[in-house]
Amino acid sequence: MTMQPTLHKEGENPGEPGNPQPSDGLKAGLKNRHLSMIAIGGVIGAGLFVGSSGGIAKAGPAILISYALVGAMVVMVMRMLGEMAAASPDSGSFSAYADRALGRWAGFSIGWLYWFFWVVVLAVEATAGAVILEGWIPAVPQWGWALIVMVVLTATNLISVGSYGEFEFWFAGIKVVAIGAFVIVGLLAVFGVLPGSDNPGEGFAHLTDAGGFLPNGAGAILTGVLMVVFSFMGSEIVTLAAGESEDPRRAVTKATNSVIWRIAVFYLGSIFVVLTLLPWNDPSITEKGSYVAALDSIGIPYASGIMDFIILTAVLSCLNSGLYTASRMAFSLGERGDAPKAFAKVRGNGVPVTAILASVVFGFVAVFFNYISPDKVFDFLLNSSGAVALFVWLVICLTQLRMRGILMREAPEKLTVKMWLFPYLTWATAAFIVFVLGYMFVDEANRQVVSLSLLVAGVVVAIGLVLDRRRKALAARV
């Protein structure tokens, strides 16, 4: 007789019905306002500010379709993840669900790959922040700023989960207010009603007046998809953080239900404003960056300095969340026996100190390689983690397909959030993710990223399968 996966592992205490509380040593130190802002700010990465100009240059106004396609995919993935997280909040999120639904090897593999992704991101964001800070205060070298940023945010995470939440609340708040103001002011300038604006207020004319809406052909939309897909990574963080909140189920449900308008306003809305303020082929978009160019077209003074501050905030937010996310995934892996047991130990303040320090040490090592070997070692780390976002989303799809049956059989009352048109939209989302990965492989600019990511994923999966087989053999002997 084959054992069916269960919703909760043996010895696991899911908490009181309707309001599960952390029972694994972590403390409910995140307030509802923290979770709300983490959910809103989680979809706004530094990649939106920095990488959008490249996508606009490749696809023109059609980059809006690229953002819409990826945004729709993220909405579907978040809906699936929300279904599972609302039913069973867990600090390991999709890794823990894959463990239960697909097997120990799946939870092991995607958990370690996700951890690897975020510790590499720590190095990328620390370096990006250091570049901005060195420009402001050149007396401190770039490596010194990177060290300072890493130490400060490590200390923040070590104090308590509440201090992480408070920092993220303000970091995310600045991003949200900045983009909201940009969209409102930009739209006023687009229609020529912003007092003192230098922009001619052409309305929607710039969407078609420079070679049409598809100036580089329909194929550029897919190229744009590849360029923007990674700027959406981070939307799933709220489901990890929910396990340390006052009301996990409510937080996850709220975040899942609001993801559509968040993506519509912050991504599609802000890029739409850029494209209506300036022709897509205006040289200033690539020279200064899309948002700085747009602010300059309005006549906003010190636009470059303003954007540097906002980008620095986004970088620090990403660093702060990256360290939190990596440490909680390491904690969950340790708790499930897929990482050293020390990772699962917490101090009196409910913080998994060893998991945090292990994550930040790897981040420091990656920063070190970024300075001494940027074209070899660090380039390998960056490329080999580049497609992990897509792997994570694909695993979420496959896990939800199996998890729905488990939930229906064991606890149907916990299905407070449901994936739309199940299983058709789940399969369609998974197929789109596979298509994007395949297109990356045939695209020369992305072939190395997907190839190295697949290589690393293959090695991790192989290790997971071997360990799973050993566990089963040991259990059979007993």
Side-chain angles (χ1 to χ4, degrees):
M1 179 177 174
T2 303
M3 292 287 290
Q4 290 293 323
T6 56
L7 184 60
H8 297 290
K9 293 174 287 188
E10 185 179 356
E12 187 178 35
N13 177 12
E16 294 299 320
N19 187 26
Q21 295 296 315
S23 58
D24 45 17
L26 300 177
K27 290 188 176 180
L30 293 176
K31 297 180 172 62
N32 287 331
R33 66 181 177 87
H34 293 155
L35 263 292
S36 296
M37 197 56 74
I38 289 169
I40 295 172
V43 295
I44 310 172
L48 172 62
F49 302 106
V50 178
S52 55
S53 57
I56 292 171
K58 287 287 185 182
I63 195 67
L64 286 169
I65 300 178
S66 303
Y67 273 103
L69 286 171
V70 178
M73 178 178 70
V74 172
V75 167
M76 296 300 116
V77 170
M78 280 299 294
R79 188 72 185 182
M80 294 176 227
L81 187 54
E83 176 180 297
M84 297 182 287
S88 179
D90 195 298
S91 59
S93 188
F94 50 84
S95 172
Y97 307 141
D99 190 321
R100 298 168 192 170
L102 304 177
R104 288 287 296 274
W105 65 272
F108 172 94
S109 302
I110 205 63
W112 276 113
L113 285 171
Y114 193 66
W115 179 87
F116 176 55
F117 171 85
W118 279 111
V119 292
V120 173
V121 166
L122 292 181
V124 174
E125 300 297 341
T127 302
V131 169
I132 295 173
L133 289 166
E134 186 187 28
W136 293 348
I137 308 176
V140 179
Q142 191 179 124
W143 66 265
W145 280 120
L147 181 65
I148 291 169
V149 166
M150 291 280 277
V151 168
V152 169
L153 291 180
T154 300
T156 300
N157 276 264
L158 286 172
I159 293 170
S160 70
V161 67
S163 63
Y164 153 72
E166 201 62 36
F167 266 71
E168 192 58 24
F169 176 82
W170 292 105
F171 286 153
I174 291 171
K175 291 189 294 184
V176 169
V177 170
I179 293 189
F182 175 81
V183 170
I184 293 170
V185 171
L187 286 175
L188 292 175
V190 165
F191 293 109
V193 294
L194 182 68
S197 172
D198 296 339
N199 193 278
E202 297 286 344
F204 301 146
H206 289 321
L207 293 176
T208 55
D209 65 3
F213 188 74
L214 290 165
N216 297 325
I221 294 173
L222 290 177
T223 302
V225 165
L226 300 187
M227 298 186 74
V228 308
V229 66
F230 303 109
S231 65
F232 283 82
M233 190 65 171
S235 54
E236 69 289 330
I237 290 175
V238 68
T239 63
L240 281 83
E244 293 176 83
S245 69
E246 297 168 342
D247 189 347
R249 188 159 292 146
R250 178 176 175 272
V252 168
T253 302
K254 187 177 179 181
T256 302
N257 290 337
S258 65
V259 70
I260 297 176
W261 72 259
R262 288 186 275 130
I263 288 175
V265 172
F266 298 130
Y267 279 85
L268 289 172
S270 63
I271 297 299
F272 176 81
V273 167
V274 170
L275 290 166
T276 48
L277 286 173
L278 292 164
W280 70 271
N281 56 356
D282 190 303
S284 65
I285 291 179
T286 51
E287 291 170 4
K288 300 177 181 179
S290 56
Y291 290 84
V292 173
L295 291 174
D296 277 344
S297 78
I298 299 172
I300 301 293
Y302 310 110
S304 180
I306 293 170
M307 282 312 302
D308 274 348
F309 174 74
I310 295 171
I311 291 170
L312 178 63
T313 302
V315 163
L316 294 177
S317 171
C318 190
L319 242 175
N320 193 38
S321 288
L323 181 53
Y324 171 84
T325 305
S327 65
R328 271 24 178 211
M329 186 57 73
F331 168 84
S332 178
L333 288 166
E335 193 182 38
R336 287 178 274 144
D338 289 331
K341 285 293 184 184
F343 285 9
K345 292 181 179 179
V346 298
R347 290 201 176 166
N349 57 359
V351 172
V353 174
T354 305
I356 291 175
L357 294 178
S359 300
V360 81
V361 164
F362 194 97
F364 275 122
V365 171
V367 169
F368 175 72
F369 282 129
N370 194 14
Y371 287 104
I372 68 164
S373 184
D375 299 325
K376 293 180 181 178
V377 179
F378 187 74
D379 193 43
F380 171 80
L381 291 174
L382 199 61
N383 287 328
S384 61
S385 64
V388 166
L390 290 166
F391 297 162
V392 167
W393 294 338
L394 182 60
V395 166
I396 289 172
C397 294
L398 300 177
T399 301
Q400 192 261 339
L401 284 167
R402 187 82 187 277
M403 202 68 165
R404 170 64 77 88
I406 299 170
L407 285 166
M408 289 297 293
R409 185 177 68 250
E410 297 185 2
E413 72 282 356
K414 292 186 177 181
L415 275 170
T416 54
V417 176
K418 287 186 178 181
M419 176 58 183
W420 306 296
L421 296 176
F422 178 84
Y424 308 109
L425 274 182
T426 301
W427 279 114
T429 305
F432 184 70
I433 295 170
V434 171
F435 172 77
V436 172
L437 284 168
Y439 191 75
M440 285 180 69
F441 192 76
V442 300
D443 182 70
E444 189 174 348
N446 290 280
R447 187 176 300 130
Q448 186 181 32
V449 171
V450 73
S451 298
L452 288 176
S453 296
L454 283 170
L455 175 64
V456 170
V459 170
V460 175
V461 168
I463 294 172
L465 287 169
V466 169
L467 291 176
D468 199 21
R469 184 173 296 179
R470 286 184 178 178
R471 288 191 196 99
K472 290 176 179 177
L474 185 62
R477 289 174 195 164
V478 175

